[in-house]
Coordinates of all heavy atoms in Angstrom, one line a residue:
S220 N 133.5 336.7 365.5 CA 133.9 335.9 364.3 C 133.3 334.5 364.3 O 133.2 333.9 363.3 CB 135.4 335.8 364.2 OG 136.0 335.1 365.3
L221 N 132.9 334.0 365.5 CA 132.4 332.7 365.6 C 130.9 332.7 365.8 O 130.2 331.6 365.8 CB 133.0 331.9 366.7 CG 134.5 331.7 366.6 CD1 135.0 331.0 367.9 CD2 134.8 330.8 365.4
A222 N 130.3 333.9 365.9 CA 128.8 333.9 366.2 C 128.0 333.4 365.1 O 126.9 332.9 365.3 CB 128.5 335.4 366.4
T223 N 128.4 333.5 363.8 CA 127.6 333.0 362.7 C 128.0 331.7 362.2 O 127.5 331.2 361.2 CB 127.7 334.0 361.5 OG1 129.0 334.2 361.1 CG2 127.1 335.4 361.9
M224 N 129.0 331.0 362.8 CA 129.4 329.7 362.4 C 128.3 328.7 362.6 O 127.7 328.6 363.7 CB 130.7 329.3 363.1 CG 131.9 329.7 362.5 SD 133.4 329.1 363.3 CE 133.3 327.4 362.7
K225 N 128.1 327.8 361.6 CA 127.1 326.7 361.8 C 127.8 325.4 362.1 O 127.2 324.5 362.4 CB 126.3 326.6 360.5 CG 125.4 327.8 360.4 CD 124.5 327.7 359.2 CE 123.5 328.8 359.2 NZ 123.1 329.3 358.0
Q226 N 129.2 325.4 361.9 CA 129.9 324.2 362.2 C 130.1 324.0 363.7 O 130.0 325.0 364.4 CB 131.3 324.2 361.5 CG 131.2 324.2 360.0 CD 132.6 324.2 359.4 OE1 133.5 324.6 360.1 NE2 132.7 323.8 358.2
H227 N 130.3 322.8 364.1 CA 130.6 322.5 365.5 C 131.9 323.1 365.8 O 132.9 323.1 365.1 CB 130.6 321.0 365.7 CG 129.9 320.7 367.0 ND1 130.6 320.8 368.2 CD2 128.6 320.3 367.3 CE1 129.7 320.4 369.2 NE2 128.6 320.1 368.6
L228 N 132.1 323.6 367.1 CA 133.3 324.3 367.5 C 134.4 323.3 367.9 O 135.5 323.6 368.1 CB 133.0 325.3 368.6 CG 132.1 326.4 368.2 CD1 131.9 327.4 369.3 CD2 132.7 327.2 367.0
S229 N 134.0 322.0 368.1 CA 134.9 321.0 368.5 C 134.9 319.9 367.4 O 133.8 319.3 367.2 CB 134.6 320.4 369.9 OG 133.3 319.8 369.9
A230 N 136.0 319.7 366.7 CA 136.0 318.7 365.7 C 137.4 318.1 365.6 O 138.4 318.8 365.9 CB 135.6 319.4 364.3
F231 N 137.4 316.9 365.2 CA 138.7 316.2 365.0 C 138.8 315.7 363.5 O 137.8 315.4 362.9 CB 138.8 314.9 365.9 CG 139.0 315.2 367.3 CD1 138.0 315.3 368.3 CD2 140.3 315.4 367.7 CE1 138.3 315.5 369.6 CE2 140.6 315.7 369.1 CZ 139.6 315.8 370.0
H232 N 140.0 315.6 363.0 CA 140.3 315.1 361.7 C 141.3 313.9 361.9 O 142.3 314.1 362.7 CB 140.9 316.1 360.8 CG 139.9 317.1 360.2 ND1 138.9 316.6 359.4 CD2 139.8 318.4 360.3 CE1 138.1 317.7 359.0 NE2 138.7 318.8 359.6
L233 N 141.1 312.9 361.1 CA 142.1 311.8 361.1 C 143.0 311.9 359.9 O 142.6 312.1 358.8 CB 141.3 310.4 361.0 CG 140.5 310.0 362.2 CD1 139.6 308.9 361.9 CD2 141.5 309.6 363.3
I234 N 144.3 311.8 360.2 CA 145.3 311.9 359.1 C 146.2 310.6 359.2 O 146.9 310.5 360.2 CB 146.2 313.1 359.3 CG1 145.3 314.4 359.3 CG2 147.2 313.2 358.2 CD1 146.0 315.6 359.8
P235 N 146.2 309.7 358.3 CA 145.3 309.6 357.1 C 143.9 309.1 357.5 O 143.7 308.5 358.6 CB 146.0 308.5 356.3 CG 146.7 307.6 357.3 CD 147.1 308.6 358.4
P236 N 142.9 309.3 356.7 CA 141.5 308.9 357.0 C 141.3 307.4 357.0 O 140.2 307.0 357.5 CB 140.7 309.6 356.0 CG 141.6 309.8 354.8 CD 143.0 310.0 355.4
N237 N 142.2 306.6 356.5 CA 142.0 305.1 356.6 C 143.4 304.5 356.6 O 144.4 305.1 356.3 CB 141.2 304.6 355.4 CG 141.8 305.0 354.1 OD1 143.0 305.5 354.0 ND2 141.1 304.8 353.0
V238 N 143.5 303.2 357.1 CA 144.8 302.5 357.2 C 144.7 301.2 356.4 O 143.8 300.4 356.5 CB 145.1 302.2 358.7 CG1 146.3 301.3 358.8 CG2 145.2 303.4 359.5
M239 N 145.6 301.1 355.4 CA 145.7 299.9 354.6 C 147.1 299.3 354.9 O 148.1 299.9 354.5 CB 145.5 300.2 353.1 CG 145.7 299.1 352.2 SD 144.4 297.8 352.5 CE 144.8 296.6 351.4
F240 N 147.1 298.1 355.6 CA 148.4 297.5 355.9 C 149.0 296.8 354.7 O 150.2 296.6 354.7 CB 148.2 296.5 357.1 CG 148.2 297.2 358.4 CD1 147.0 297.4 359.1 CD2 149.3 297.6 359.0 CE1 147.0 298.0 360.3 CE2 149.3 298.2 360.3 CZ 148.1 298.4 360.9
G241 N 148.2 296.3 353.8 CA 148.7 295.6 352.7 C 148.8 294.1 353.0 O 148.0 293.6 353.7
I242 N 149.7 293.4 352.4 CA 149.9 291.9 352.6 C 150.8 291.7 353.8 O 152.0 292.2 353.8 CB 150.4 291.2 351.4 CG1 149.4 291.4 350.2 CG2 150.6 289.8 351.6 CD1 149.8 290.9 348.9
L243 N 150.3 291.0 354.8 CA 151.1 290.7 356.0 C 151.4 289.2 356.2 O 150.6 288.4 355.7 CB 150.3 291.2 357.2 CG 149.7 292.6 357.2 CD1 148.9 292.9 358.5 CD2 150.8 293.6 357.1
K244 N 152.5 289.0 356.8 CA 152.9 287.6 357.1 C 152.2 287.1 358.4 O 152.3 287.8 359.4 CB 154.4 287.5 357.2 CG 154.9 286.1 357.5 CD 156.4 286.1 357.6 CE 156.9 284.7 358.0 NZ 158.4 284.7 358.2
E245 N 151.6 285.9 358.4 CA 150.9 285.4 359.5 C 151.9 285.2 360.7 O 153.0 284.7 360.5 CB 150.2 284.1 359.2 CG 149.4 283.6 360.3 CD 148.7 282.3 359.9 OE1 148.9 281.7 358.9 OE2 147.8 281.9 360.8
G246 N 151.5 285.6 361.9 CA 152.3 285.4 363.1 C 153.1 286.6 363.4 O 153.8 286.6 364.5
C247 N 153.1 287.7 362.6 CA 154.0 288.9 362.9 C 153.1 290.0 363.4 O 151.9 290.0 363.1 CB 154.7 289.3 361.6 SG 155.9 288.1 361.1
T248 N 153.7 291.0 364.0 CA 153.0 292.2 364.5 C 153.4 293.4 363.7 O 154.6 293.6 363.5 CB 153.2 292.4 366.0 OG1 152.9 291.2 366.7 CG2 152.5 293.6 366.5
Y249 N 152.4 294.2 363.3 CA 152.7 295.4 362.5 C 152.0 296.6 363.1 O 151.0 296.4 363.8 CB 152.2 295.2 361.0 CG 152.8 294.0 360.3 CD1 152.3 292.8 360.4 CD2 153.9 294.2 359.5 CE1 152.9 291.7 359.7 CE2 154.5 293.2 358.8 CZ 154.0 291.9 358.9 OH 154.5 290.9 358.3
T250 N 152.6 297.8 362.9 CA 152.0 299.0 363.5 C 151.9 300.1 362.4 O 152.7 300.1 361.5 CB 152.8 299.5 364.7 OG1 154.1 299.8 364.2 CG2 152.9 298.5 365.8
A251 N 151.0 300.9 362.6 CA 150.8 302.1 361.8 C 150.4 303.3 362.7 O 149.7 303.1 363.7 CB 149.8 301.9 360.7
T252 N 150.8 304.5 362.4 CA 150.5 305.7 363.2 C 149.4 306.5 362.5 O 149.6 306.8 361.3 CB 151.7 306.5 363.5 OG1 152.7 305.7 364.1 CG2 151.4 307.7 364.4
V253 N 148.4 306.9 363.2 CA 147.4 307.8 362.7 C 147.3 309.0 363.6 O 147.4 308.9 364.9 CB 146.0 307.1 362.7 CG1 144.9 308.0 362.3 CG2 146.0 305.9 361.8
I254 N 147.2 310.2 363.0 CA 147.2 311.4 363.8 C 145.7 311.9 364.0 O 145.0 311.9 363.0 CB 148.0 312.5 363.1 CG1 149.5 312.1 363.2 CG2 147.8 313.9 363.8 CD1 150.4 313.0 362.4
L255 N 145.3 312.1 365.2 CA 144.0 312.7 365.5 C 144.2 314.1 365.8 O 144.7 314.4 366.9 CB 143.3 311.9 366.6 CG 141.9 312.3 367.0 CD1 140.9 311.9 365.9 CD2 141.5 311.6 368.2
K256 N 143.8 315.1 364.9 CA 144.1 316.5 365.1 C 142.8 317.2 365.5 O 141.7 317.0 364.9 CB 144.6 317.1 363.8 CG 145.0 318.5 364.0 CD 145.8 319.1 362.8 CE 146.2 320.5 363.1 NZ 147.0 321.0 362.0
N257 N 142.9 318.1 366.5 CA 141.8 318.9 367.0 C 141.7 320.1 366.1 O 142.6 321.0 366.2 CB 141.9 319.2 368.4 CG 140.7 320.0 369.0 OD1 139.8 320.4 368.2 ND2 140.8 320.3 370.3
V258 N 140.8 320.2 365.2 CA 140.7 321.4 364.3 C 139.6 322.4 364.8 O 139.3 323.3 364.1 CB 140.4 321.0 362.9 CG1 141.5 320.2 362.3 CG2 139.1 320.2 362.8
G259 N 139.1 322.2 366.0 CA 138.1 323.1 366.6 C 138.8 324.2 367.3 O 140.0 324.4 367.2
V260 N 138.0 325.0 368.0 CA 138.5 326.2 368.7 C 138.5 326.0 370.2 O 139.1 326.8 371.0 CB 137.7 327.5 368.4 CG1 137.8 327.8 367.0 CG2 136.2 327.3 368.8
N261 N 138.0 324.9 370.7 CA 138.0 324.5 372.2 C 138.9 323.2 372.3 O 139.0 322.5 371.4 CB 136.6 324.3 372.7 CG 135.8 325.5 372.7 OD1 136.3 326.6 372.8 ND2 134.5 325.3 372.6
F262 N 139.3 323.0 373.6 CA 139.9 321.7 373.9 C 138.8 320.7 373.8 O 137.6 321.0 374.2 CB 140.6 321.7 375.2 CG 139.8 321.8 376.4 CD1 139.3 320.6 377.0 CD2 139.4 323.0 377.0 CE1 138.5 320.7 378.1 CE2 138.5 323.0 378.1 CZ 138.1 321.9 378.7
S263 N 139.1 319.5 373.4 CA 138.1 318.4 373.3 C 138.7 317.1 373.8 O 139.9 316.9 373.8 CB 137.7 318.2 371.8 OG 137.0 319.4 371.4

C-alpha cells in the first residue's frame, strides 16, 4: 500500500499552524500550546 506513495513517510503537522498572541501587557509572561503531530507511518 505504500510502494507507490510519493509523499515522505515521516511528516509532522502543526496544530495550529501559527500563533497570534494579540495585545500583551509589557512585563507579563504569556503561554500558548501548539501540537506537533506525527502524520507519517514511522516514528520520527
